[in-house]
Every structure is written in structure tokens, then in C-alpha cells.
Amino acid sequence: MPVSAPAYTVLPLQHQFDISHNFLQPTDVAVGKSNLIYVMDGVNSRVKVFDGKGVYKFSFGRKGKQKGNFNDPVGITTDSAGRVYVADTHNRRIQIFSFDGIFENQIVIPKAENDEPPEPIDIVVNENLKQLYIADNNNHRIRVYSNPGYKLLSTLGSEGPGSNQFRYPFLMAAGNNASLYIVDVLNTRVQVWEQDKAVKTIGGFGVDLGQFYRPKGVCVDQNDLVFVSDSVLGVIQTFNPNGNFSAVLGTEKGEVLKWKTPLGITIDNRQRLYVVEMLPNRVRVYDILYDKKITKE
């Protein structure tokens, strides 16, 4: 990514620790009850759990089709009660666990007529609206379910490059105002949806500031600053609430940080950033050294 011209702003990070624990191509990370860190160890078909300092606690799941088993899971998230939601992608379902990894429930995604087999890739919990959003990668849409009850309420989007369309929606994040941020991979953008329609687009194809080559992860902080990882360019950029480029993540010396295949990213309630590096098989953890100018522009 060019960084010498035009001028750019770096949002500095302070590295805290790394988590490496025999992962095999991890994809996503979530932080839950008591700052427990849940890492989606997808190829190993399990979730590994660490304490807030990165110390291993336990794991759950294994390869299979039974309840509590996984088949190439990708996305993971938690809710305020500590429940853990796993997008069990090739078992075509969402599984729900207690904070300590005990199976509680599942949502089996049916194949609709004329559809491809469903491929739930990620899930977002909207507790204010009592809804779940599931990204169906194979069918280029978002499925909306009631929570609790797990009844299908609606579907969002269709295949294509236009507004309200997707080409392989991937990881997602909840905003602070009932908005939904969706990585739209082949359209090389992040779509922002509110009230069941797209309201803005972030990014676009390219290798310059504010553009993406292969966006994969997205998260939103308490100031509505949007973070987006690019697995090919190896950078994480931030965008203000209007969707405009704000900064690129870097060091306290103003150097741009590069990661190797960054995928899932999340920010916890301490405003700590977690970055999954898929091919190095680790999660990197940082404190964000905020600048008021960046967060308020």
C-alpha cells in the first residue's frame, strides 16, 4: 500500500501479547464473559479459550456432525450473557454454547428451492432488536432470525455488485446504533445496513488508502470507528462513522504495521484490538493508542 503520498494518518498500537496454541488456520476471535478470549481454530474444528492475559483455559468441539461437533467453522461471536455462537459452516448451522463450552442450541439453515447449499460463514447478535444476522456466503445474502426463538424473519440482499447486493459476504460486526457492517469480499467493500437496507459503502477495489484488495475482517469501536482488515495487503485501516478513510494502523513511531493474512478482528470493552493471523497461526493483541482527532473526525 502506498504510504508516502498522499499524506496519511497512523493510529498507533501498543503490542501486548500473542496467542499461539497449535492452531491450524484460525479464522476469527471473540471476547466474552470475564474477558475470556475465544479463538476459532477452524481446520482443527474446535474453539480454544484463553483468559484475558492469553493463558490457555480449555477447548471445545471436534470434527463431526453431532451436536457440539464442527465441520470447517469460520465465524464466532458472543453476547452479553456470555453465550458463544459458532458459524458451523459446512454443517450448515449455527451452534450456541454456554460461556464454558456446553452445547445449548442450534439453528439448522435449510436449503431453499433454487438456492445453492447454505454456507453460514458468520453471525452477529443484535440484542436491542432481539435478532441474529447470519451471512450465507454461498447464496450472497444475510439471513435474519429471531432471538430467542430462532425463526427466520427475512433475508437481506441478493447476488450482484449493486446497492443491496453481495458477492460472497464474509465476516460481520454490529455497530452501536443497530447498524450491521458486512464484509462484501468480491465487491471489495464493507456494506453498512440499517433497517434492512444498505445505507453506505466503505472502500472499493484498489491498493491505495481507503481501498481494499481482499477485505476479510471488520469491527467497530465505542466511537463508531470502523476497522477493516485486508488479508492480501496485510494492513488494517480505520474509517469514520461517515465511511471515510481515517487512518491506517501502525506503531508509535508512525510506521505502518503489516500482518500476514489478517482475517477476523475484534475490539473488547477495554478497547483492546485482537487480530487473527491465519497463516502464522496466531492471534495478536494490542492496546489502541487513540488520538482524539482520529476518533472524532
Side-chain angles (χ1 to χ4, degrees):
M1 172 177 290
V3 293
S4 57
Y8 64 96
T9 300
V10 168
L11 175 56
L13 303 178
Q14 185 177 74
H15 180 251
Q16 295 300 308
F17 55 87
D18 292 340
I19 302 175
S20 298
H21 200 276
N22 298 316
F23 300 130
L24 186 56
Q25 298 183 23
T27 51
D28 202 8
V29 59
V31 180
K33 187 176 181 178
S34 301
N35 294 317
L36 288 176
I37 303 166
Y38 298 85
V39 180
M40 191 72 262
D41 190 9
V43 176
N44 285 323
S45 292
R46 60 189 172 196
V47 176
K48 287 191 170 180
V49 187
F50 304 82
D51 70 14
K53 296 181 179 179
V55 177
Y56 176 75
K57 301 290 288 184
F58 62 94
S59 65
F60 58 93
R62 63 179 181 177
K63 188 79 170 183
K65 297 182 179 180
Q66 301 302 313
K67 293 176 180 179
N69 296 167
F70 303 123
N71 186 6
D72 299 327
V74 176
I76 188 168
T77 194
T78 60
D79 65 17
S80 63
R83 284 181 289 265
V84 182
Y85 300 73
V86 175
D88 187 9
T89 303
H90 288 144
N91 279 328
R92 312 195 192 285
R93 63 187 177 185
I94 301 298
Q95 294 200 68
I96 303 161
F97 300 85
S98 64
F99 78 95
D100 52 356
I102 304 302
F103 174 85
E104 291 189 352
N105 215 326
Q106 66 178 359
I107 306 169
V108 177
I109 311 299
K111 180 182 180 299
E113 187 177 358
N114 301 321
D115 269 3
E116 295 295 323
E119 195 174 59
I121 209 91
D122 197 21
I123 183 167
V124 161
V125 180
N126 188 317
E127 297 187 62
N128 290 330
L129 297 180
K130 297 183 179 180
Q131 292 178 347
L132 303 175
Y133 300 95
I134 300 168
D136 184 350
N137 184 262
N138 231 15
N139 290 295
H140 314 282
R141 65 173 68 113
I142 308 300
R143 297 172 180 262
V144 185
Y145 282 77
S146 61
N147 183 30
Y150 310 131
K151 302 295 184 183
L152 180 64
L153 302 176
S154 64
T155 60
L156 310 178
S158 61
E159 183 178 5
S163 179
N164 299 308
Q165 292 186 314
F166 302 103
R167 289 195 296 168
Y168 300 102
F170 197 61
L171 297 181
M172 306 183 292
N176 298 312
N177 58 348
S179 53
L180 179 67
Y181 293 76
I182 306 160
V183 176
D184 187 6
V185 175
L186 286 192
N187 285 326
T188 58
R189 63 189 180 184
V190 172
Q191 290 197 54
V192 186
W193 284 63
E194 294 176 5
Q195 298 179 345
D196 293 349
K197 64 180 180 181
V199 296
K200 66 172 74 77
T201 295
I202 297 172
F205 181 75
V207 296
D208 213 335
L209 298 169
Q211 298 177 325
F212 308 127
Y213 196 90
R214 190 64 83 232
K216 285 295 178 69
V218 61
C219 61
V220 183
D221 75 2
Q222 63 185 8
N223 299 299
D224 286 318
L225 194 66
V226 184
F227 294 65
V228 183
S229 64
D230 191 307
S231 65
V232 171
L233 297 180
V235 298
I236 299 175
Q237 300 182 75
T238 68
F239 298 80
N240 66 24
N242 294 322
N244 299 319
F245 171 78
S246 174
V248 60
L249 299 190
T251 69
E252 294 178 75
K253 295 180 179 179
E255 301 163 333
V256 175
L257 277 171
K258 288 290 190 78
W259 290 269
K260 188 173 182 180
T261 55
L263 264 72
I265 54 178
T266 194
I267 296 175
D268 68 14
N269 56 17
R270 298 173 294 176
Q271 299 300 281
R272 178 167 280 184
L273 175 69
Y274 301 75
V275 181
V276 174
E277 285 188 300
M278 184 179 72
L279 294 183
N281 296 306
R282 65 184 177 185
V283 177
R284 312 208 75 184
V285 184
Y286 303 86
D287 281 340
I288 305 169
L289 306 180
Y290 281 106
D291 183 303
K292 293 181 180 179
K293 181 175 182 294
I294 292 173
T295 59
K296 291 184 178 180
E297 281 186 345

